Structures are given as C-alpha cells and as structure tokens.
Amino acid sequence: MQTGVSTAGQREWESASIARIKADFNRSGDTHLIPVPLSGYPGIDVYLKDESSHPTGSLKHRLARSLFLYALANGWLREGTPVIEASSGSTAVSEAYFARLLGLPFIAVMPATTSPEKIAAIEFQGGRCHFTERARDLYGVSQQLARDTGGHFMDQFTYAERATDWRANNNIAESIFRQMAAEPHPVPDWIVCSPGTGGTATTLGRYVRYCGHPTRVLCADPEISVLFDYYRSECAGAADPSLVLEQGSRIEGIGRPRVEPSFIAGCVDAMVKVPDALSLAAMRHVSAVLGRRVGGSTGTQFVGVLLAARKMYEEGRMGSVVSILCDSGDRYTHSYYDPDWYVRQGIDIDAADAQWMRALQGDPLRGLQVAGVL
C-alpha cells in the first residue's frame, strides 16, 4: 500500500483519475434484469441480473470500479505505480481495464488453473499474470509482489465489503430493486448470490436492512470452499475463522480456501453448499433456457434459486426470487464446456443432468447442506 502525504500534483492526478472513472461509468448503461421461467413452481417469478453485459463482462466490473475509487479517495494510488491483485480471473480482468484507463501497470496473481480465456482477457486489457500453484498462496504472493515492485496491493478480499457504497450509488442491490418496481412481486422474497470476496452478499444484506425490505439473502457456496463451514460455525455460536483448504474452488470466481475479511456472516440469512456437479448441471440448464452460455457461478446460484422457490411453493406462497448472471460461459470453453474436463474431474454429466431435471419437476434437491433460516 502506498503511503505519504499527497502533494498538489498528486491531488491533481487523483482528481483527474476519479473524473475518468466517473466518465466511464456515465458511458455505460445499467445491466438487464432477465425473467427466467421456472415451470414447476407456478406463482414464483425468477429473474437473473445480467452482469455479463458490463464492459469487462462480469459482476466484478462493479467491484473493480469501487475498489479503484476507494483507493484513490484514500490516497493509496500514485501515478505510474503498479496495481497488484489476487484473483481467480474476473476481478483481474475488470481491474486491468480500470488500471489501463488510468495508465497504471497491472499484475494479476492467480491460480495456475485459471481458464485460458480469462488470462487472454487480462492480457487484452494490458495486464500481466503471475501464477501460483496453491490457491491459498495468492494473498502472500500478492503482498510480496507489491513490496518488490513498489506497487499497491488492491486486496479485494479485505476491501470489497467497505469499498462499495451499500446505501446507494448504483450498487447492485439498488439497481435490482429499481428494476423490480413494476413487476408483479416488486420486493423479492429472496436474493440469491454466491460468495467470493463476500462483498456482493454483504452489500445485498446491508441494503435490504437499511431500506427495511423483508427480502432475505441466500448465499450458495460451491463444493470446495470454507465459507459455508464458517457460516455454519457462526450460526452455532462457535465461529472458526481459521478454516483453510489446500485446494481452490472448481467453480471459478466463487468459494474460498480461507475465510476472507469481506465475508460478513451476519449479512446473510441462509447458506447452501452445492456439489459442483449439480452447479454445472444448473449452468447447462440456464444456458439452454437463455440460448447462450453462462458461467459456473451462475449455475451454483441457480441451485439456490430452486431451493428458495421450492420452499416458497411448499409454504403456499407466491413471490419473486432474484439471482445474478455473473459472467459469460465463453470464458470457460476449456473447462465447463469441454467434455474432457468433466472426465478429468470425475464428474458424471448424465447423472447430474438427470438429478437436476427431476428437481425442476419437484423432486427434492439431494446432496445439499443448508445452514441458517431458509
């Protein structure tokens, strides 16, 4: 992190940089809210907030913008100083975009397993990639790179929850409620998201409480992640923030091998741990319904959508559920849309698709773990 008192020239550069980011925002429209049919559950309306339409193609565009504005407002960035980030891909793509906008070098520290499409997208935006074999090493390697280069470690996993203005300022929660205003059930019963940094879940949870909405937040965690287990320990009154895993999540962009500071458990009403095979079956279903490929994190969340819809249906309630289309499936041609990848991972596509189709028709979802109040 850069330190020191700002000079007149530094303040002028900061002001010009903030103005560039604001101008870029003004050139970008809001993302669409897409209705998605869920025929097995009449009276329950489902919507996906399509964050893939951002200039950098994912939900992380909002986060990257907020992180850069936060760092500039704090006086942490200097003209010409490298920006370093620990990221599994999408955040790095978006941060590379904003670094290039400000004329700053950018280095993404990421797992060696990151998809080639994301690596190419980072490099297209002018960034470069630094790879680690273990997901849990991302943070330490990023800190060391920042020291070695005299750069600034952006640290999305610490600052995501505080960089976003959760009261307003076009955060994703405000946008969802504004776009839902003319729908049959304008106040969603549930908003379903997935935790990576935890910043989106925290923003959603804070916003609905701040506005007095009865909406609840359901977080869908992938199979290889400690966040569900941490949340469950928090619910039991014995929170264990020391949980770690050696392996990173197979669902890129969500799930973490350690508990991140930006994941605020109290902002979440319930969590579900989703087997990766089921996440990817749901991903294929959503892709077929929309007629375009979506990423794996969208599938994980859609399992949460179905879980929430089933609960509402069993209770005889009508209403709405909103979730997030995080990014395009075109970033995963070499993984989720490659049959050989499933063979290497030991995932039975046919069995997962069959289970998912039965669930759509009303069968209970199997293999899930749930914590909190659903």
Side-chain angles (χ1 to χ4, degrees):
M1 181 183 300
Q2 298 295 302
T3 58
V5 177
S6 293
T7 64
Q10 170 64 15
R11 286 294 300 274
E12 184 177 345
W13 180 82
E14 289 168 354
S15 296
S17 296
I18 290 171
R20 285 193 196 99
I21 293 175
K22 287 182 176 179
D24 179 79
F25 173 74
N26 287 339
R27 293 192 294 269
S28 304
D30 199 0
T31 61
H32 293 187
L33 193 66
I34 304 171
V36 180
L38 201 61
S39 59
Y41 299 88
I44 300 171
D45 300 328
V46 172
Y47 304 83
L48 288 177
K49 179 74 165 152
D50 184 7
E51 295 292 282
S52 71
S53 59
H54 282 296
T56 54
S58 82
L59 168 66
K60 299 299 185 180
H61 193 84
R62 292 181 191 269
L63 173 59
R65 181 198 298 131
S66 295
L67 287 167
F68 270 84
L69 289 172
Y70 188 71
L72 286 163
N74 286 336
W76 291 348
L77 294 180
R78 297 285 189 270
E79 186 173 6
T81 299
V83 175
I84 318 297
E85 184 60 284
S87 170
S88 64
S90 288
T91 302
V93 175
S94 298
E95 287 192 19
Y97 172 92
F98 285 103
R100 184 170 69 169
L101 185 68
L102 304 186
L104 300 176
F106 179 78
I107 305 171
V109 180
M110 55 177 50
T113 55
T114 300
S115 70
E117 292 84 3
K118 285 186 178 178
I119 294 167
I122 293 164
E123 292 174 344
F124 175 80
Q125 297 294 347
R128 67 182 180 90
C129 302
H130 183 100
F131 300 103
T132 64
E133 291 301 322
R134 299 190 307 175
R136 63 181 296 185
D137 292 337
L138 292 179
Y139 197 92
V141 171
S142 298
Q143 289 176 315
Q144 186 61 52
L145 262 178
R147 288 191 290 267
D148 292 345
T149 63
H152 171 69
F153 175 31
M154 195 64 85
D155 194 2
Q156 60 166 323
F157 298 109
T158 294
Y159 295 110
E161 58 90 5
R162 65 197 74 173
T164 301
D165 184 351
W166 46 269
R167 297 172 189 85
N169 193 26
N170 194 47
N171 69 48
I172 191 170
E174 178 198 26
S175 179
I176 287 170
F177 278 89
R178 185 177 65 250
Q179 291 177 318
M180 285 290 292
E183 298 301 314
H185 305 286
V187 177
D189 287 66
W190 287 96
I191 298 179
V192 182
C193 62
S194 284
T197 62
T200 299
T202 298
T203 296
L204 292 168
R206 286 171 172 167
Y207 185 85
V208 296
R209 287 166 173 80
Y210 178 71
C211 294
H213 295 308
T215 304
R216 291 183 288 170
V217 176
L218 172 61
C219 251
D221 203 29
E223 181 178 322
I224 305 171
S225 174
V226 301
L227 296 179
F228 172 86
D229 303 288
Y230 169 71
Y231 181 81
R232 183 167 56 183
S233 73
E234 179 96 4
C235 291
D240 184 4
S242 67
L243 295 169
V244 293
L245 293 172
E246 290 294 327
Q247 184 181 359
S249 174
R250 288 186 294 195
I251 308 299
E252 287 191 30
I254 60 173
R256 293 297 298 152
R258 70 172 206 172
V259 180
E260 302 296 349
S262 279
F263 179 68
I264 311 298
C267 291
V268 175
D269 297 285
M271 281 195 76
V272 56
K273 194 176 189 73
V274 182
D276 290 348
L278 193 59
S279 291
L280 297 170
M283 174 199 75
R284 291 188 290 274
H285 167 77
V286 173
S287 297
V289 169
L290 297 182
R292 59 189 173 99
R293 290 176 171 179
V294 303
S297 56
T298 301
T300 303
Q301 291 173 86
F302 208 76
V303 174
V305 167
L306 190 60
L307 185 66
R310 181 179 177 83
K311 179 69 172 178
M312 291 168 64
Y313 185 70
E314 289 173 345
E315 294 174 351
R317 294 189 292 116
M318 295 188 294
S320 59
V321 181
V322 178
S323 190
I324 303 168
L325 196 168
C326 299
D327 61 3
S328 168
D330 292 339
R331 290 183 169 179
Y332 307 100
T333 302
H334 291 81
S335 55
Y336 310 142
Y337 292 94
D338 177 6
D340 292 337
W341 182 86
Y342 289 90
V343 174
R344 294 193 298 272
Q345 299 296 323
I347 295 175
D348 186 333
I349 296 177
D350 293 336
D353 285 346
Q355 180 190 358
W356 177 252
M357 294 309 296
R358 290 194 299 270
L360 286 174
Q361 301 307 314
D363 276 11
L365 285 160
R366 305 186 188 281
L368 305 182
Q369 301 177 60
V370 179
V373 180
L374 186 64

